[in-house]
């Protein structure tokens, strides 16, 4: 049976999902919804589909649709996902699954009531370097991972559009925008240990200074209220720890975006995306840096997540990115904001 996909939100990111649905042997695009009629009409013509709705609820309640792909701005993720699960649809939802832990808990409740699949579109898990490293870690090459360091740092690269700059639209700055990517990836590599506390800072360090600019163009408004920098120290139930840094504007040594993750275990360490495994011989007192070489993936990562989502449904596998793991991510990010507000470590 071919699963029929309905996409809500025919904007930027949906364009990266389309090749995945078109490549899937288990799914095909059958409908779309958007508040922008021109975009909807163009999409319908390109994809050869006629189920086009200006109200997303009409798509959600269309009996021919099996999968709802939520590609709207962050604040609508929970609303549309819950409605779709209640209507008996499987849901793939863009990151962040929802911008607050409370909304993710409601999504989990709706998923459990419906028995349908809910997955967060964390495409970095599907990059060739991440898949190769995860596979290697699962052989036990790092041993017990007791510490991680992760960052996603941009220099003069703030997305200066209204949907991103104000809390009322985006619910947060780089924590919510890009922190979800590197944090999800790092927790996944660590085996998703349960976070128990976070001490963090989140501040608008540079964006509101005179002369602040972004290479992506546009003016940074003086009433922007999101952070442009955040850092945190996280403790996990198993004793492991994590240091995290994210920024849109840091005076950091990069031309664009520097995204990195170190994992330190009792048998070895690793550095991603360089994909080196670092170890030491106890008998010869030698140090080894092993370069992982992997075959490039045949399909782009955003598309790959759609293919895997449909395959997981067809094969009866669990959700490739369970909502519980996104709840861990969002609890930590929410903890950073609370830690900043209260000036202390927060118990999660
Ligand atoms: N995984 C990634 O790499 C990545 C990259 C960019 C964005 N995203 C995520 O994708 C989501 C969308 O971001 P984008 O960049 O595509 O934004 P966008 O503004 O380009 O697209 C959003 C679309 O949703 C539509 N929309 C808004 N309100 C709607 C409603 N009530 N009903 C139906 N449609 C509605 C808009 O008209 C627009 O077409 C965000 O959650 C963002 O975090 C993920």
């Amino acid at each position: 049976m071919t699963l029929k996909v309905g996409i809500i939100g025919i904007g930027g990111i949906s364009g990266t999902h389309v090749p995945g649905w078109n490549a899937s042997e288990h799914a095909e695009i059958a409908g779309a919804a958007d508040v922008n009629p021109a975009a909807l009409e163009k999409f319908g013509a390109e994809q050869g589909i006629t189920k086009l709705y200006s109200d997303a609820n009409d798509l959600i309640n269309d009996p021919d649709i099996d999968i709802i792909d939520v590609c709207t701005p962050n604040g609508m993720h929970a609303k549309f996902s819950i409605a779709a699960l209640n209507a008996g649809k499987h849901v793939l939802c863009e990151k962040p699954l929802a911008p607050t832990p409370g909304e993710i808990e409601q999504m989990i409740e709706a998923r459990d009531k419906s028995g349908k699949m809910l997955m967060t579109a964390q495409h970095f898990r599907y990059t060739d370097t991440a898949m190769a490293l995860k596979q290697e870690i699962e052989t036990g090459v790092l041993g017990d991972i007791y510490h991680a360091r992760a960052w996603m740092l941009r220099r003069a690269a703030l997305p200066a559009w209204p949907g991103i700059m104000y809390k009322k639209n985006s619910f947060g700055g780089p924590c919510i925008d890009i922190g979800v990517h590197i944090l999800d990836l790092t927790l996944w590599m660590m085996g998703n240990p349960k976070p128990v506390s976070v001490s963090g800072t989140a501040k608008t360090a540079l964006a509101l200074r005179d002369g602040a600019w972004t290479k992506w163009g546009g003016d940074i408004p003086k009433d922007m209220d999101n952070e442009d920098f955040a850092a945190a120290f996280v403790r996990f139930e198993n004793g492991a720890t994590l240091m995290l840094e994210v920024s849109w504007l840091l005076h950091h040594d990069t031309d664009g975006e520097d995204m990195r993750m170190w994992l330190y275990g009792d048998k070895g360490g690793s550095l991603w995306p360089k994909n080196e495994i670092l170890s030491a011989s106890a008998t010869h007192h030698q140090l080894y840096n092993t370069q992982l070489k992997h075959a490039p993936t045949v399909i782009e990562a955003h598309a790959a997540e759609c293919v895997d989502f449909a395959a997981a449904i067809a094969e009866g596998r669990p959700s490739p990115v369970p909502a519980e793991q996104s709840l861990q991510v969002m609890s930590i990010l929410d903890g950073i904001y609370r830690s900043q507000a209260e000036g202390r470590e927060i118990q999660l």
Side-chain angles (χ1 to χ4, degrees):
M1 181 192 120
T2 303
L3 298 158
K4 301 279 194 292
V5 181
I7 305 178
I8 309 181
I10 305 302
I13 203 64
S14 73
T16 67
H17 291 203
V18 168
W21 299 127
N22 289 341
S24 169
E25 58 179 293
H26 302 291
E28 68 184 20
I29 298 171
D34 203 296
V35 289
N36 178 342
L40 200 55
E41 200 178 315
K42 181 166 176 280
F43 184 77
E46 281 166 5
Q47 297 300 319
I49 54 168
T50 50
K51 285 180 180 290
L52 303 170
Y53 301 100
S54 56
D55 183 341
N57 290 307
D58 292 336
L59 180 68
I60 287 169
N61 292 314
D62 186 319
D64 292 339
I65 298 293
D66 305 297
I67 292 173
I68 289 290
D69 181 8
V70 180
C71 294
T72 58
N74 300 346
M76 298 163 205
H77 288 186
K79 176 177 82 167
F80 288 141
S81 296
I82 291 170
L85 289 163
N86 288 344
K89 318 291 177 176
H90 302 285
V91 174
L92 174 66
C93 180
E94 257 308 330
K95 48 59 59 174
L97 185 56
T100 63
E103 285 172 295
I104 297 181
E105 282 164 358
Q106 290 170 25
M107 293 163 93
I108 290 174
E109 211 181 300
R111 177 203 64 190
D112 291 346
K113 265 195 213 143
S114 74
K116 296 294 171 183
M117 190 175 291
L118 173 62
M119 170 176 165
T120 316
Q122 293 292 167
H123 76 279
F124 275 102
R125 294 192 188 194
Y126 290 90
T127 55
D128 47 8
T129 50
M131 287 196 296
L133 181 60
K134 177 71 175 170
Q135 240 174 29
E136 197 66 13
I137 288 173
E138 284 181 347
T139 67
V141 69
L142 302 188
D144 282 334
I145 299 171
Y146 57 88
H147 185 62
R149 190 190 309 131
W151 69 40
M152 194 155 178
L153 301 173
R154 291 184 185 159
R155 183 180 187 181
L158 179 150
W161 35 85
I164 299 275
M165 279 179 296
Y166 300 105
K167 277 198 177 71
K168 68 178 164 59
N169 298 333
S170 60
F171 301 84
C175 279
I176 301 284
D177 183 32
I178 52 180
V180 288
H181 283 307
I182 188 64
L183 191 52
D184 173 77
L185 199 64
T186 307
L187 297 186
W188 183 53
M189 295 288 179
M190 294 173 82
N192 286 101
K194 183 173 185 277
V196 291
S197 71
V198 56
S199 181
T201 178
K203 57 180 74 169
T204 318
L206 301 181
L208 300 181
R209 289 176 184 263
D210 286 343
W213 57 278
T214 165
K215 66 179 179 190
W216 289 341
D219 294 326
I220 305 174
K222 288 292 178 208
D223 59 347
M224 171 184 145
D225 59 357
N226 274 327
E227 83 278 4
D228 61 35
F229 168 79
F233 181 75
V234 184
R235 294 175 196 275
F236 297 89
E237 197 173 53
N238 66 359
T241 48
L242 159 71
M243 290 167 74
L244 173 75
E245 292 170 329
V246 293
S247 180
W248 280 330
L249 287 179
L250 202 67
H251 294 309
H252 177 69
D253 183 21
T254 177
D255 287 336
E257 183 174 87
D258 183 3
M259 185 179 183
R260 280 190 243 183
M261 168 186 28
W262 287 260
L263 301 167
Y264 301 105
D266 56 10
K267 290 191 185 152
S270 66
L271 167 57
W272 177 89
K274 200 172 173 193
N275 266 15
E276 277 187 346
I277 303 291
L278 313 164
S279 58
S281 153
T283 46
H284 303 108
H285 291 197
Q286 285 283 12
L287 301 176
Y288 299 102
N289 288 26
T290 309
Q291 177 69 57
L292 293 185
K293 293 280 186 192
H294 47 272
T297 46
V298 289
I299 185 162
E300 193 275 330
H302 296 86
E305 75 198 351
C306 300
V307 170
D308 197 33
F309 178 75
I313 297 169
E315 293 160 13
R317 282 192 275 125
S319 172
V321 184
E324 283 79 359
Q325 294 179 5
S326 298
L327 180 57
Q328 287 180 338
V329 168
M330 203 45 65
S331 302
I332 292 171
L333 297 175
D334 180 64
I336 295 174
Y337 292 139
R338 287 196 285 143
S339 177
Q340 170 68 34
E342 298 177 29
R344 62 180 180 86
E345 186 175 62
I346 299 291
Q347 304 304 310
L348 300 174

